[in-house]
Amino acid sequence: MAGSESHYILPLPVFDKPVKLLIVVAPYYKDIADNLVAGARAKAAACGVEVDVVEVPGALEVPTAIAMAERQAKYDGYVALGCVIRGETTHYDTVCNDSSRAISLLGLQGACIGNGILTVENRAQAEVRADPDGQDKGGGAAAAALHLVALSRKWAGQTKGIGFRA
């Protein structure tokens, strides 16, 4: 049972310059989404991070909104939030796989994204995972984004040579 395991959690990063996060949430299951956002906001606040929140229709639109913001706005990192609950058709698989793949591709292109889109079998699983006093997956996604922002800043300006050492 996953709930009884203990896991190591990295301490939150400390920033010497302001950080701005964009939370992109698909509020299809509004109560679940609200809990995810609450957890993400609390984690960001613990680091003194400024947060904006935008809503999109569904999980498939989350990576598109992040890509738009990455091109057109000024954010240091992103938190992808939403919930996909398995239904009677294969649409669940498409939404889970495609939203996750698109978020991963954006990350590989340099965007600092914490993925907190829940993919669950039922509402009860979603409620436990979204609860800020429970598994706090929204807070975990914000923490992941903040860790990536810290790494990005650490490595900013460093360049690799072309095969010659200084």
Side-chain angles (χ1 to χ4, degrees):
M1 180 174 177
S4 63
E5 292 183 27
S6 64
H7 303 277
Y8 176 74
I9 298 173
L10 292 172
L12 289 173
V14 176
F15 298 98
D16 57 355
K17 295 178 186 168
V19 174
K20 190 168 181 182
L21 282 184
L22 176 64
I23 296 173
V24 180
V25 60
Y28 190 79
Y29 299 101
K30 184 77 168 125
D31 58 327
I32 303 292
D34 287 347
N35 271 343
L36 289 167
V37 170
R41 280 185 181 275
K43 198 65 74 172
C47 287
V49 170
E50 182 182 346
V51 171
D52 289 335
V53 178
V54 295
E55 293 182 342
V56 295
L60 288 173
E61 290 75 37
V62 170
T64 302
I66 291 171
M68 290 167 52
E70 182 74 350
R71 284 191 311 272
Q72 300 173 355
K74 190 77 173 147
Y75 291 98
D76 298 294
Y78 307 91
V79 183
L81 299 177
C83 179
V84 185
I85 299 175
R86 187 180 296 280
E88 297 175 352
T89 68
T90 58
H91 183 66
Y92 170 87
D93 298 311
T94 299
V95 174
C96 293
N97 293 334
D98 290 356
S99 63
S100 179
R101 182 175 297 112
I103 289 168
S104 293
L105 289 172
L106 288 167
L108 291 172
Q109 293 170 5
C112 300
I113 307 172
N115 187 351
I117 297 177
L118 304 179
T119 55
V120 296
E121 297 295 320
N122 55 56
R123 174 172 270 283
Q125 288 177 349
E127 290 170 351
V128 169
R129 284 160 179 77
D131 185 355
D133 296 321
Q135 290 186 13
D136 191 21
K137 296 298 184 181
L146 292 170
H147 282 290
L148 292 172
V149 169
L151 278 176
S152 177
R153 287 184 174 184
K154 176 181 177 179
W155 292 329
Q158 294 183 12
T159 58
K160 292 188 174 192
I162 55 170
F164 302 99
R165 297 197 186 266

